[in-house]
Amino acid sequence: MNVTPSRLTGTRIMTAVEKRGLSVCLLGCGGMGRLHGESILRHSNLSGLSLCDVDPLRAQKLAGELGAEWLPLAEALSSNAFDAYFVVTPAAAHVEQLVQIVPSGAYVFCEKPLGCDMASIVAAMPALKPFADRIQLGFNRRFDPNMAALKRRILANDIGEIEQLRIVSRDFSAPSVESLDKSAGLLFETAIHDFDLTRWLLDDEISELLCLGSALINPRYASVGHIDTATTIMRGTRGQQVVIQNSWRTSYGYDQRVEAFGAGGRLSVPNPAEPLVFHEDAGGLHRGPISPDWFARYPEAYLIQDTAFLDAVGSGGAVSPNLVDGYMASFIAQRASESQNSGLLVSCKAHDGEFA
Amino acid sequence: MNVTPSRLTGTRIMTAVEKRGLSVCLLGCGGMGRLHGESILRHSNLSGLSLCDVDPLRAQKLAGELGAEWLPLAEALSSNAFDAYFVVTPAAAHVEQLVQIVPSGAYVFCEKPLGCDMASIVAAMPALKPFADRIQLGFNRRFDPNMAALKRRILANDIGEIEQLRIVSRDFSAPSVESLDKSAGLLFETAIHDFDLTRWLLDDEISELLCLGSALINPRYASVGHIDTATTIMRGTRGQQVVIQNSWRTSYGYDQRVEAFGAGGRLSVPNPAEPLVFHEDAGGLHRGPISPDWFARYPEAYLIQDTAFLDAVGSGGAVSPNLVDGYMASFIAQRASESQNSGLLVSCKAHDGEFA
Amino acid sequence: MNVTPSRLTGTRIMTAVEKRGLSVCLLGCGGMGRLHGESILRHSNLSGLSLCDVDPLRAQKLAGELGAEWLPLAEALSSNAFDAYFVVTPAAAHVEQLVQIVPSGAYVFCEKPLGCDMASIVAAMPALKPFADRIQLGFNRRFDPNMAALKRRILANDIGEIEQLRIVSRDFSAPSVESLDKSAGLLFETAIHDFDLTRWLLDDEISELLCLGSALINPRYASVGHIDTATTIMRGTRGQQVVIQNSWRTSYGYDQRVEAFGAGGRLSVPNPAEPLVFHEDAGGLHRGPISPDWFARYPEAYLIQDTAFLDAVGSGGAVSPNLVDGYMASFIAQRASESQNSGLLVSCKAHDGEFA
Amino acid sequence: MNVTPSRLTGTRIMTAVEKRGLSVCLLGCGGMGRLHGESILRHSNLSGLSLCDVDPLRAQKLAGELGAEWLPLAEALSSNAFDAYFVVTPAAAHVEQLVQIVPSGAYVFCEKPLGCDMASIVAAMPALKPFADRIQLGFNRRFDPNMAALKRRILANDIGEIEQLRIVSRDFSAPSVESLDKSAGLLFETAIHDFDLTRWLLDDEISELLCLGSALINPRYASVGHIDTATTIMRGTRGQQVVIQNSWRTSYGYDQRVEAFGAGGRLSVPNPAEPLVFHEDAGGLHRGPISPDWFARYPEAYLIQDTAFLDAVGSGGAVSPNLVDGYMASFIAQRASESQNSGLLVSCKAHDGEFA
C-alpha cells in the first residue's frame, strides 16, 4: 500500500481517477490493534494505514502482516499527516495521547475506557472538550446489530419510556489474580460498557446509584483490592429504575443480555447461540453453548463501529459515542466504585452539566 | 334433554331436593376406565354412575374406590335405565357392545379405535348409523387446550387454507414384542389419532395416501408382523399435502407436535415441558424433559372431552367427534396398512360418501 | 358430608389410631375464601368444613354452594372444635384472629401477608411464637411446580451457592387509585412474595437492602402515598446479591420470573404460556400471551399448598413456610418501605435473631 | 493484483515447492458470479482472477468493480492457463462447459444444479467421470455452520442411525408466472438442495420415493406446467424414512429447517433470526422475522464453500460434494418429477451403481 505521507498535499488518491481517501494511524499493535487494523483496511475510503507501538518491533511485525506502514510512536503523536487516529494502547495512556493528538485536527477513535483514573480525565478535559465531537469512544456494543435493533425499537416507541431496565454483563473466564495489577477492575473495565448502554438506551443521565460488590468467586480477589461480582442499581433523571448484574465468570459463556420494560411491554435481547442445533434426549432439550467471549459475540460490532467512525471522518461529521459519553461512563464507574466502598446511594448528577 | 322416561325409575336422585341428573354406565374398569370414571364423577349434572366389567370383581373393586355402583355386564348391555354409556373395553369388543346399547336410546362414548377390523365395523354400520350423532369417539386430542387453540386459529383464518400439514406422533416406550398379540399395531392404535387430527384440522377428507413402514427400532417386531416406524403422506380433497411421522419410541418423551402451513404463514404446537426450568452451563442451555406419556400430556383433554360429551347428553345435542369420525379414522388406518404393504398410493375416497 | 362432631379433647395431635378426618374452619368467604374452600374439600382426610365471615349471609351463601356448614365468626374464634383454621380475612385482621385461635391448639393457615403493620405483628409475637410451627403462611409460590423444581435444582447443587438472584414480579393490571385506601401497597402486598422467595431460594436471611420506588405508571398513586414501580437490591448474609423488580402493571400479563446464578451456571424459570401455539408470519414469530393473573398462573400451587398444610395437620408435623417466614417477609417489606423513603441501604439483620 | 503469468505446464497438481498461488477463471458475471468473485478474492492462496461472460461488457464491468481481469468466454473455455474454474452460468449451459473445461486438468466448481435435463447429463458422464473428484457442486448448505454442526452431531452418533428425517425448504417469494420459462422448476431448482442434504445427512442413497405436487399458491403455475408446493417421501437403503416439504412462498421468510430422529433422540436446526430482539405485549411474545432469502441466510456458507474448494485445488485433494453428488441430486429430482406425474412410488436405485 502506497501511503501518501502528508494530509496536506492533496494527493491522497486511491484510484487512478481522483478519489481521495483517509490516511489513518493506529496506536497499539496488540490483539485489539490487529482487530481494528483489519477493520480499517476493509474501509472503502482509505488511502493508507500506519501502525505504531511503544515496541517498534511489534509495530513492524503487524505492519508486515497487514500490508501496512509503520512509524515510531513519538513521530505519530506529533504528526499532522493523518486524518484519523485509533488509540488502542493501554487505558492508562489514552488521555495523554489524546491530548497530544487533537491539536492536529485529526479525528480520534479511542478504545474504552477513556481512562481508569478520573483525576487525569478531569485534568485533560479543558484540552479535549473543544474536540469532543471528533473523539469517538470504543463502546462497540452500541453497534452490535442486536443492541442497535433494540435501540431502534425503543426509539420507535414500542414500549414507551423505559420504566425498568436490566442489564446482565458477565465474562466467561475470570482473570488470574496475578494479572490484576494491570486491571482497572470489574467496574472500570466490564461494567463501563453497561453504564454506557444504560445512558444510551434511556437517552438520559443517571441521577443516583448504589453498587454492591463482593469477591464471591475467589476471595483472593478481595485480598488484592478487587471485586468479582457486582450488582448496581441506578435511577435515571426521570425516575427510571436500572439494574446491572456483573460477574467475572460464568460457566457457560459470555453472558450479555438486556431487558427494557415500559408501558408498552418489554423488549429483550438474549444471548445468541451459534451454531444453532438442538438435541432432545432423555435429559430434555439442549442447545449448544453461547459465545465464549466478546470476540465471538461482537465481531460485526467492531467492523460496523470502525466503519461508522471512518465515515464520520470522511464526511467531517460528529462522531457518536463521543468524548462526553466516554467521560460519563468513567464518571459513573468512579461513582459506582465509591458507592461500593461506602454503601451509600450516591448522586451522579453533578458532573452531568459540565458538557451541557 | 329428551330423557327416555322409563329410564328414570326411582333412586338416582343426588340431593334431597329435586335435582335430576344423568345416569351413566361405564363398561371397562381398567386404567382407562378409572380415568373416565373420575372425570364423570366431576360432572355437575350427574345423578349416578354404575360400573361393569367382564370381570365382576374388578368392577366391584373400582366401584368401591370411586364410591359408585356396579352391575353385571350383561345386565348393563340390556338395560334401558341409563342416559349414557362409556365403552372403555378392549377395542375388539367395541362394535358389538355399541350395537347392543344404541337401541336403548342412550348416548355412547366409545374409546378409540372404533374397531381394529374394518369388516366388523362395516357390518355394524346399518345398525349404528341412525345413532351416529349420539356416539362420540374418544379422540381426546381434539379437546387438548393446545390443539383446540390451534384449531381456533385455523378457523380464524390466521394462515388461510392449510397447504402443508405435518404431524409428529411418537410414543416414549415401545411395547414389548410379547405384548403385541393384543395390539392392533402402530397404525390402528397410534396413528389413528393423527388420521383423525388431520381430518379435523383440514376440515376435509383424505383423497389418497401412501404409507412407508418398517421395523427400525427392533427387527423382532417385523417377525411378528408389526412395524414400529411409519411415515404417511396424504392428500386432502383440495390438494393439501399432509405428512405424519409415527414411531413407537423416543428416548425423550411423548412427542406430539403439529405444524400447519398456508398463505398466512405457519402455526405450530410444540411439546410443552413441565416443570419449566432452564439450566445453562458449559454444555449449553438445557430444559427438562417433556411428558413421558399421554397421561401426563393430555390430562385436561380427558376431562374436557368427557364434560363435552356429558353436556351433549344433558342437552340432547349432537356429539363430536362422532361415529363417522370413528369410522373414517379406522378406514384411513386400514388404507394406510394396505398401502404400507403394497407400496402404492391408495385412494381414500370411496367410503367417504357412505355418510353423505 | 358426615362431620365428625367431636374433636373436643385437648390433644389435637392425631395418631394413626384415632385419625378420623380433619375438622376445618375457614374464616373469610370472599374469592380467596372460595378458592381455599374448594381446595380443602378435595383433601382426602377431611371430616368437615365450616365457614364463617364477618358478614353471616356471605358465609351462608358460600356454605350452600360448597355443601359446607357455616357458623358465626365469634363462635368460630372461641371454639376448640376444630383441627385447623384457614384465615382468609383482610390482612389487617390476621394477627388479632391468630391470637384468638392459637390457644385452642389448632393449626392455622394464614393468608399472606401476616399483617400490614409491623407494630401489631411485633406486639403479637409473644402470644404466637410458641405456636410458630403450627402457623403456615400463604406463600403459595413455594408450592408452584416450577418454583419447586427450581428449588430442587438449587438443593441438588446444580449451580452451587447462588451468587446473584433476580426476581421479576409484575401484576397485569394496576389497581384504581380509588381502591388504594384498602391496599397495603406494592411492597407489602406484591413484593412480599418475592421477599419470601428470596429467603427460601437463598436458604439465608437478608442482611441489608435498598429499595428505589416511584409512581411511574400513574403520578396520582404518589399523591395518595403509593408507589407503583420498585427495584430492590439486597444482600444475603453470605454476600449474595439479589435484585427484585416489581411493577403494578404490564401490558402483557402476570410476569413472574426468577433467575439464579452461581458457579455452576444459571437456572431460570420463565413465564409459562398456555395454550402453546406459535404463529410465524411477515412480522416474525409470535406466541400467545402469558397468564393474566395469579389465578391462571398458580392454580396448582394453591391446591398443593393447602394439601401440604392439611397433611401436616393430619400428621402433627411442623408446617412450612411458618410464622417466622411470615414475620420475616413482613419485616423485610417494612425495611424496604423505610429504605424507599430514606434512600439508605438499611440493615435487615437485627430482628433475624428473634426467632433463633 | 499481480497475476502469476505461467501455470501452463501440464501438471496442475501443486506441490509445496512450486505453489505460487492459484489462477482462477470465473464464468458468469451475474449476481451469483459477483458473490463467488468476492469470495475468491478473499482467498489467501490466489494469484489471479479472470472473469468472462457470454456478454463481454458484463464481464468487463464486473472485472473493473472487483479489480480483476476479464477475457472472452471462448478463450476461457479453451485455455489451459487456469488452476480452477467457477461455472456460474445458467444451469442449461453447465454440462457442455464442464466437458470443454475438464480436459485441461483444471478443477471446476459448478453451481447447482449440474443440469436440468438428465439426458444431457447422462450423455456427458463418460467425458466427466474421470474428473469426478475435481468437480465440486455448489451445494452450499453443506457448508452452512448450522448444517455442518448438525452433520458433526450425527457423525458423533448423538442420535444413532437416522430413522426419520424431515426437511423443510421454502422460498419467501414465489417467482412470477412470466419468469417461469427460464426456471427448471421447484424440484430441480429448490428441492435439489434437499435431495443433496438428505444423501449427505443419511450418508446413504435413496432407494425409492413418492412426490406429491400441486399448484396451491397460484393455479396459473399449473397452466404453464409448474408446481409450487411439493411433499416428497423417500426411503434410504437401510429403511430410513425421509420427508421433504417444499413451497415457493412463505409469508414469513426463507424457511429452511431440518430435524433428524433416531434411537438417541432428535437433532434439529431451526431458522435463525437476526437481529435477535423479543417484544412481549398484550398479543403475546414476538420475535422479529427470519431471513428473507438465501443470501441473508447463508452468507458464510458461500465463503466457506469456496474456500474449501480452493483449498482442495491448492492441495490437489478430492473435492466434496463432487460430480457424483451433482449427478445423484439431479437424478433424484428427475425421479421425483416422474413420480409427481405418475403417482407411483419409484425406485431410485438403478443409477446409484454407475459411480460405484
Side-chain angles (χ1 to χ4, degrees), chain D residues 159-202:
Chain D
I159 58 167
E161 165 92 72
I162 294 173
E163 293 167 2
Q164 292 186 311
L165 179 68
R166 181 235 194 172
I167 300 177
V168 172
S169 178
R170 295 172 179 142
D171 292 331
F172 185 22
S173 300
S176 66
V177 175
E178 291 66 33
S179 70
L180 288 180
D181 56 340
K182 293 180 213 143
S183 169
L186 183 67
L187 297 174
F188 272 95
E189 297 214 341
T190 297
I192 200 160
H193 277 295
D194 310 305
F195 299 141
D196 181 65
L197 269 187
T198 299
R199 293 179 62 249
W200 181 57
L201 293 174
L202 294 183

Side-chain angles (χ1 to χ4, degrees), chain A residues 38-335:
Chain A
E38 290 173 350
S39 291
I40 295 164
L41 288 169
R42 292 175 66 177
H43 198 266
S44 58
N45 184 26
L46 187 76
S47 69
L49 172 62
S50 299
L51 310 183
C52 50
D53 195 278
V54 54
D55 174 359
L57 291 178
R58 198 158 75 151
Q60 287 169 46
K61 183 165 181 296
L62 185 61
E65 288 169 25
L66 295 180
E69 307 282 314
W70 80 276
L71 80 171
L73 181 56
E75 194 176 313
L77 290 169
S78 62
S79 170
N80 62 355
F82 295 104
D83 299 295
Y85 286 79
F86 280 73
V87 175
V88 196
T89 51
H94 289 174
V95 167
E96 188 180 359
Q97 291 173 342
L98 289 177
V99 169
Q100 291 182 267
I101 292 167
V102 290
S104 78
Y107 277 70
V108 192
F109 176 93
C110 178
E111 257 305 335
K112 45 75 37 183
L114 179 55
C116 313
D117 156 24
M118 276 313 284
S120 66
I121 293 175
V122 169
M125 280 300 120
L128 298 180
K129 275 165 69 177
F131 305 97
D133 283 343
R134 293 188 173 201
I135 302 174
Q136 181 167 329
L137 264 289
F139 292 122
N140 59 299
R141 290 179 202 178
R142 294 194 184 196
F143 299 92
D144 170 60
N146 292 333
M147 296 300 170
L150 171 66
K151 176 69 175 175
R152 282 195 305 273
R153 302 288 292 267
I154 291 169
L155 289 174
N157 209 32
D158 276 17
I159 59 167
E161 165 93 72
I162 294 174
E163 293 168 1
Q164 293 185 311
L165 179 68
R166 180 234 194 173
I167 300 177
V168 172
S169 177
R170 296 173 178 140
D171 293 330
F172 184 22
S173 299
S176 67
V177 175
E178 292 66 34
S179 70
L180 289 180
D181 56 340
K182 293 181 215 143
S183 170
L186 183 67
L187 298 174
F188 272 94
E189 298 214 341
T190 297
I192 199 161
H193 276 296
D194 310 306
F195 299 141
D196 180 65
L197 269 187
T198 298
R199 292 178 63 250
W200 180 58
L201 293 174
L202 294 183
D203 194 18
D204 192 16
E205 297 300 336
I206 302 307
S207 65
E208 53 188 354
L209 66 81
L210 173 83
C211 175
L212 298 184
S214 296
L216 296 177
I217 299 169
N218 186 346
R220 289 184 60 209
Y221 291 136
S223 70
V224 293
H226 279 276
I227 59 174
D228 54 35
T229 306
T231 303
T232 306
I233 186 169
M234 310 198 290
R235 186 136 50 181
T237 69
R238 298 186 293 274
Q240 314 98 305
Q241 298 167 3
V242 180
V243 156
I244 300 172
Q245 293 177 294
N246 294 114
S247 174
W248 257 351
R249 76 83 185 83
T250 70
S251 58
Y252 52 83
Y254 190 56
D255 187 5
Q256 306 273 307
R257 287 171 288 145
V258 177
E259 179 178 313
F261 171 83
R266 65 185 188 92
L267 287 167
S268 63
V269 173
N271 291 313
E274 192 162 296
L276 197 52
V277 179
F278 289 84
H279 184 205
E280 188 162 7
D281 63 14
L285 185 66
H286 315 281
R287 195 210 60 205
I290 59 173
S291 302
D293 54 34
W294 55 266
F295 186 70
R297 171 69 178 266
Y298 296 122
E300 293 168 292
Y302 282 92
L303 181 59
I304 297 170
Q305 167 190 255
D306 291 1
T307 300
F309 171 71
L310 292 173
D311 288 349
V313 177
S315 70
V319 298
S320 176
N322 70 6
L323 177 70
V324 178
D325 298 305
Y327 178 94
M328 287 310 301
S330 291
F331 173 67
I332 297 169
Q334 170 76 11
R335 297 301 276 153

Side-chain angles (χ1 to χ4, degrees), chain B residues 52-136:
Chain B
C52 50
D53 195 279
V54 51
D55 173 359
L57 292 178
R58 198 158 73 151
Q60 288 169 44
K61 183 164 182 296
L62 185 60
E65 288 170 24
L66 295 181
E69 310 279 315
W70 82 276
L71 80 172
L73 181 56
E75 194 175 313
L77 290 170
S78 62
S79 168
N80 61 356
F82 295 104
D83 300 297
Y85 286 80
F86 279 72
V87 175
V88 195
T89 51
H94 288 175
V95 167
E96 190 182 356
Q97 291 173 341
L98 289 177
V99 169
Q100 290 181 266
I101 292 167
V102 291
S104 78
Y107 277 70
V108 193
F109 177 92
C110 177
E111 257 303 336
K112 47 73 38 183
L114 180 55
C116 313
D117 155 24
M118 276 312 286
S120 66
I121 294 175
V122 168
M125 280 299 119
L128 298 179
K129 276 165 68 176
F131 304 95
D133 284 343
R134 293 187 173 201
I135 302 173
Q136 181 167 329

Side-chain angles (χ1 to χ4, degrees), chain C residues 38-79:
Chain C
E38 290 174 349
S39 290
I40 295 165
L41 287 169
R42 292 177 66 176
H43 198 265
S44 57
N45 183 28
L46 187 75
S47 69
L49 173 63
S50 299
L51 310 185
C52 50
D53 196 278
V54 41
D55 174 358
L57 291 178
R58 198 158 74 152
Q60 287 169 45
K61 183 165 182 293
L62 185 61
E65 289 170 23
L66 296 181
E69 309 280 315
W70 80 275
L71 80 171
L73 181 57
E75 195 176 311
L77 290 170
S78 62
S79 168

